Amino acid sequence: MTPALDLTDRVALVTGGTKGIGRSIAEHLLEAGGSVALCARTESEVQAVAAELGGRALGIACDVADPAACAGMVERTVAHFGRLDILVNNAGLGVFKPLAEMTVEEWQLQIDVNLGGVFYCSKAALPLPRRER
């Protein structure tokens, strides 16, 4: 039998962490003993979910399409918990309509969030585990 995952003293950051898969991931990380920073674009929503999840959860409002906001989110996580061990790039969105009806702005928003967000968050977080070990 595989031993249970033990994330005691580990810190995770989950983007898109207030709904669906992201929230489920955050819940599982907490159940495994970790601390979790979760992000969403809406301050009130992310704070409400963090409060529901309990004391080892930190809510941070962040638009992952903004490189400076991603860097700030990583910095805030480290300032609060003292480290960052795990990054879950879960934030994403889709504009579901025929291509002929989609605007350039809607297309660019999908690219900025779904691709840019992964790049910006990873770039901000990547140096941390190396520096800590």
Side-chain angles (χ1 to χ4, degrees):
M1 179 170 202
T2 305
L5 182 62
D6 181 9
L7 294 178
T8 303
D9 298 326
R10 298 289 184 224
V11 175
L13 170 58
V14 181
T15 67
T18 60
K19 298 177 188 166
I21 293 170
R23 182 172 175 152
S24 182
I25 290 168
E27 290 170 350
H28 281 82
L29 292 167
L30 288 165
E31 288 170 8
S35 297
V36 177
L38 53 137
C39 95
R41 286 180 289 175
T42 307
E43 179 76 33
S44 59
E45 179 182 7
V46 76
Q47 295 307 327
V49 172
E52 288 174 26
L53 294 177
R56 290 189 336 269
L58 171 68
I60 303 173
C62 177
D63 178 356
V64 298
D66 178 348
C70 293
M73 174 179 59
V74 169
E75 290 171 9
R76 187 164 167 206
T77 300
V78 173
H80 183 83
F81 292 115
R83 62 186 298 145
L84 176 59
D85 303 291
I86 302 163
L87 172 63
V88 179
N89 280 306
N90 175 72
L93 60 80
V95 177
F96 303 104
K97 59 170 72 170
L99 182 61
E101 296 174 17
M102 188 178 300
T103 67
V104 170
E105 292 79 16
E106 289 169 331
W107 171 253
Q108 192 60 54
L109 176 63
Q110 292 176 95
I111 297 299
D112 291 345
V113 171
N114 299 344
L115 298 179
V118 171
F119 177 79
Y120 303 140
C121 291
S122 297
K123 188 153 179 71
L126 186 62
L128 296 175
R130 291 180 186 178
R131 186 175 67 211
E132 292 175 6
R133 290 184 181 87

